[in-house]
Amino acid sequence: MHLSRKKLFVPAALAITIAVGGGLAGCSTASPSGSTSSSSASSTTSAAKLPSSFPKSDVPIVDGKILVATGDADKGWSVTVIPTSTTGFADAKAALEKAGFKAEPNPQATPTSTTIYDGPKYTVILSTPGQAVTYAVSPV
């Protein structure tokens, strides 16, 4: 049963990743000269907050600006963060491992590929659509 939930959860997490990545691509605004600037877009957006039900003590989130944070204890959560560090994805993986999560074997894994982590209470699908780090968290 645990595997079938992951099979359903992975496409949803990838869809979230693609949607967030596409949303990030639209963060720049064009000037009449044809150059782009993200300062006006980023200065008008505020950081999202983790839902009150998010398991902060069990699932560590990398430091940075939270762009998207949705979900609940019944359906799971999706959180996308722009890390403060340039090694945000590696930092996120290390924090999950330190918290006791185990990465599922993936022979094609790269430093920026999607990784599934199993923990005692939650499964976390960690991915990076560029600079951002996305967590898809579901109860076990």
Side-chain angles (χ1 to χ4, degrees):
M1 183 164 102
H2 188 62
L3 182 60
S4 61
R5 180 178 345 141
K6 286 181 196 167
K7 285 183 180 179
L8 295 174
F9 199 51
V10 170
L14 293 176
I16 291 166
T17 300
I18 291 167
V20 171
L24 292 175
C27 286
S28 63
T29 56
S31 68
S33 66
S35 64
T36 59
S37 168
S38 62
S39 62
S40 62
S42 63
S43 65
T44 60
T45 59
S46 61
K49 295 184 190 247
L50 289 175
S52 60
S53 62
F54 188 85
K56 296 176 211 159
S57 60
D58 294 317
V59 180
I61 299 292
V62 70
D63 290 335
K65 179 180 179 182
I66 298 174
L67 295 179
V68 178
T70 62
D72 58 43
D74 293 329
K75 297 177 185 169
W77 303 266
S78 175
V79 179
T80 299
V81 180
I82 296 292
T84 54
S85 166
T86 58
T87 58
F89 190 65
D91 296 346
K93 290 168 71 171
L96 286 169
E97 290 168 5
K98 184 176 180 184
F101 285 83
K102 304 284 184 217
E104 288 190 8
N106 180 357
Q108 286 100 21
T110 67
T112 60
S113 65
T114 298
T115 305
I116 299 174
Y117 284 92
D118 293 315
K121 298 178 186 176
Y122 301 96
T123 296
V124 178
I125 300 173
L126 190 66
S127 61
T128 179
Q131 181 185 0
V133 175
T134 298
Y135 298 78
V137 180
S138 76
V140 173

